[in-house]
Amino acid sequence: MKAAVFRSPGVLEIAERPDPTELSADELLIEVECCGLCGSDVHALAVPPGHPTAPDVVMGHEFVGHVVDRGAGMDAVDIGARVVVDPDPSCGACRNCQRGMPSACLNVRAIGVVRDGGLARLCRLPARATFAIAEEVSASMAAIAEPLACVVHGVERSSLKPGDSAVIFGGGSIGCMFAALFHAAGAYPTVVVEPAARRREIALQCGADDAFSPEAWDRGRDGLLPFGADVVVDAVGSLFPQTLAAVATGGRVVLIGMNSTARAEIAQNDITRRGVSIFGSYITNFTFPTAIRLLERGTPDLSPIVTHRLTLDEVHSGLDLLRSGEALKVVIDLTGTG
Ligand SMILES: [Zn+2]
Ligand SMILES: [Zn+2]
């Protein structure tokens, strides 16, 4: 089969791979329909890489497909079942899993990072990494189940209530999903701060009440939210000081964007004196079922987030579209791929 294979930092190759065979007892074989490209794929392909990927691994960790074969212990799973994938299946047995923090599992073998992922027609993976999803959900929408489950986790961390005001820094796919879910949860206003005009437009389509460039936000924020926002999200990964400037006394800050090299200078006393709560939110936390319910219901409408649908041969252009900021979410259609 044809696959997008990570060779070395900066090098992703479309290569021939043997079809996976010999499933372990706990594994399923998935025929992939659609696989999203992620900001973390762009980081993994940067030189030097923003986070490590194993050489010769098939990339792709945001995907949907159908079960076409199952290991000896997986009789309960129907052949033909449609599933989305948690690319970070937790072991259930380590100290962090047993304390209810699967996102911090000590034994994760991330799919599309250290074991083969979804940028190929077929992918074998542990059955516990899969969640059923209805056929009615389009393949490109089903492919965003994983990032949506991350955002559902972040929304839970924020404890946002109807009537709370919210500011989201970053209008990429994660920021726009926050805008949609905060709006649906009754936040007012929901504000997105994002430099790219096209992304601001999509944030508004997703349910944001306002979208500002960073400069316009600095000028306008005191008029709009003189006491600050109840909930502030950093969906970029390096804007902790900006979130503290935007949050109200007693408010909550959720840090979900990831940038391992960012170092912030903050006045710690601002947090102490104003009773601000800071929450880190990393990947998912039993939030796939909620994300899938949202996609199956189709409300809020998240379709503006998928801006490009390409073939496997076009994966490099897809990554370039993400690098340039022109795309929000790019999905790769694997149906009909050799
Ligand atoms: Zn991702
Ligand atoms: Zn574990």
Side-chain angles (χ1 to χ4, degrees):
M1 63 182 182
K2 210 193 270 184
V5 180
F6 178 89
R7 290 291 185 215
S8 57
V11 184
L12 180 72
E13 210 176 87
I14 303 295
E16 275 302 316
R17 294 280 287 244
D19 285 6
T21 48
E22 310 270 322
L23 300 180
S24 308
D26 68 337
E27 285 183 331
L28 300 175
L29 186 66
I30 307 296
E31 186 164 79
V32 181
E33 289 173 76
C34 227
C35 180
L37 301 180
C38 179
S40 73
D41 297 324
V42 172
H43 292 314
L45 286 163
V47 185
H51 73 99
T53 303
D56 300 322
V57 153
V58 177
M59 291 188 82
H61 61 267
E62 301 178 358
F63 57 105
V64 57
H66 292 94
V67 176
V68 289
D69 198 4
R70 60 193 175 195
M74 287 298 134
D75 287 356
V77 179
D78 290 332
I79 299 294
R82 193 184 198 214
V83 294
V84 292
V85 174
D86 176 356
D88 303 290
S90 51
C91 74
C94 73
R95 181 174 185 275
N96 292 340
C97 281
Q98 291 185 333
R99 285 162 56 89
M101 286 192 66
S103 62
C105 175
L106 302 170
N107 300 314
V108 170
R109 293 191 65 230
I111 295 165
V113 179
V114 295
R115 60 176 289 164
D116 288 344
L119 283 173
R121 184 171 49 84
L122 295 168
C123 178
R124 56 176 263 205
L125 42 70
R128 68 177 189 284
T130 62
F131 293 82
I133 190 164
E135 293 286 347
E136 287 69 29
V137 183
S138 74
S140 14
M141 283 290 100
I144 68 169
E146 191 268 337
L148 185 60
C150 296
V151 171
V152 170
H153 181 201
V155 172
E156 287 180 357
R157 297 287 274 161
S158 79
S159 306
L160 180 122
K161 299 178 295 299
D164 279 351
S165 52
V167 173
I168 301 148
F169 287 96
S173 52
I174 296 290
C176 286
M177 287 184 210
F178 267 102
L181 296 200
F182 280 168
H183 180 74
Y188 186 79
T190 300
V191 177
V192 171
V193 181
E194 159 63 45
R198 172 147 164 71
R199 291 181 166 202
R200 291 200 296 272
E201 230 168 82
I202 294 171
L204 293 170
Q205 287 170 29
C206 287
D209 298 294
D210 287 297
F212 296 103
S213 68
E215 301 72 33
W217 167 248
D218 285 340
R219 284 195 305 273
R221 70 171 188 218
D222 289 342
L224 186 70
L225 289 167
F227 302 106
D230 298 305
V231 170
V232 181
V233 175
D234 176 3
V236 175
S238 55
L239 301 180
F240 192 16
Q242 286 86 336
T243 64
L244 289 180
V247 71
T249 295
R252 283 95 66 200
V253 170
V254 175
L255 305 176
I256 192 167
M258 288 204 282
N259 178 336
S260 60
T261 59
R263 298 289 179 273
E265 189 173 314
I266 55 156
Q268 182 176 327
N269 191 48
D270 273 355
I271 299 171
T272 311
R273 191 171 41 78
R274 300 195 300 131
V276 170
S277 302
I278 312 293
F279 297 92
S281 188
Y282 178 59
I283 61 176
T284 66
N285 186 43
F286 305 109
T287 45
F288 264 88
T290 302
I292 290 166
R293 273 172 59 84
L294 289 166
L295 292 169
E296 290 180 343
R297 178 171 174 235
T299 316
D301 179 16
L302 300 168
S303 59
I305 288 170
V306 178
T307 51
H308 297 77
R309 186 175 170 130
L310 305 175
T311 65
L312 187 58
D313 288 317
E314 296 169 321
V315 69
H316 291 103
S317 347
L319 290 161
D320 284 339
L321 286 163
L322 286 175
R323 289 185 187 107
S324 70
E326 199 182 325
L328 230 63
K329 180 57 76 184
V330 178
V331 298
I332 303 294
D333 184 350
L334 278 304
T335 53
T337 304

